[in-house]
Amino acid sequence: MTDYEEILERLGRIEALLQQLTEGKTSASAPVPQAEIPPPPCSKCGGATSKRTSARGPFFGCKNYPNCRGIVSWDEAVRLSQAAPAAPAGDQADEFSIPPPPEPDYVNIPF
């Protein structure tokens, strides 16, 4: 297969996928590339995890294995990486809130 034929084949697959997306037959959310997901903490001990691959697909396993057998599924890791971190109560609000205006200094003028 020549380079030209390979490019035409790829363009054909891209066109088919775009047509499926516009018709609503395929979900619009593309799978998250594996390199972009940070390792989540272990589900059992809270320790560090590393990416592993099994016959069922990728997952994150605890680095304390065999003492800890905690795992985080790939889908759960994607969900955790896309979730916004919770801000501590009051910390950000105080930092970015507008302070109240100063009390006016009235001068009493007798009439």
Side-chain angles (χ1 to χ4, degrees):
M1 179 180 289
T2 65
D3 290 340
Y4 180 74
E5 291 171 337
E6 183 179 346
I7 291 171
L8 286 177
E9 182 181 328
R10 286 183 182 181
L11 285 174
R13 286 185 285 189
I14 291 171
E15 276 186 77
L17 181 60
L18 286 173
Q19 186 174 4
Q20 288 177 355
L21 286 171
T22 56
E23 293 173 358
K25 294 182 179 177
T26 305
S27 67
S29 61
V32 178
Q34 294 182 5
E36 294 182 15
I37 296 179
C42 175
S43 60
K44 287 190 178 181
C45 71
T49 59
S50 61
K51 185 179 155 230
R52 313 286 174 127
T53 305
S54 71
R56 295 182 181 181
F59 68 97
F60 289 91
C62 185
K63 287 187 175 182
N64 295 327
Y65 180 84
N67 295 331
C68 176
R69 295 178 180 260
I71 62 167
V72 179
S73 70
W74 183 260
D75 295 334
E76 180 70 12
V78 169
R79 188 184 66 74
L80 289 173
S81 70
Q82 293 175 347
D91 287 351
Q92 276 191 337
D94 292 340
E95 183 179 343
F96 295 109
S97 65
I98 300 172
E103 290 293 322
D105 188 17
Y106 292 108
V107 178
N108 292 329
I109 302 173
F111 290 99

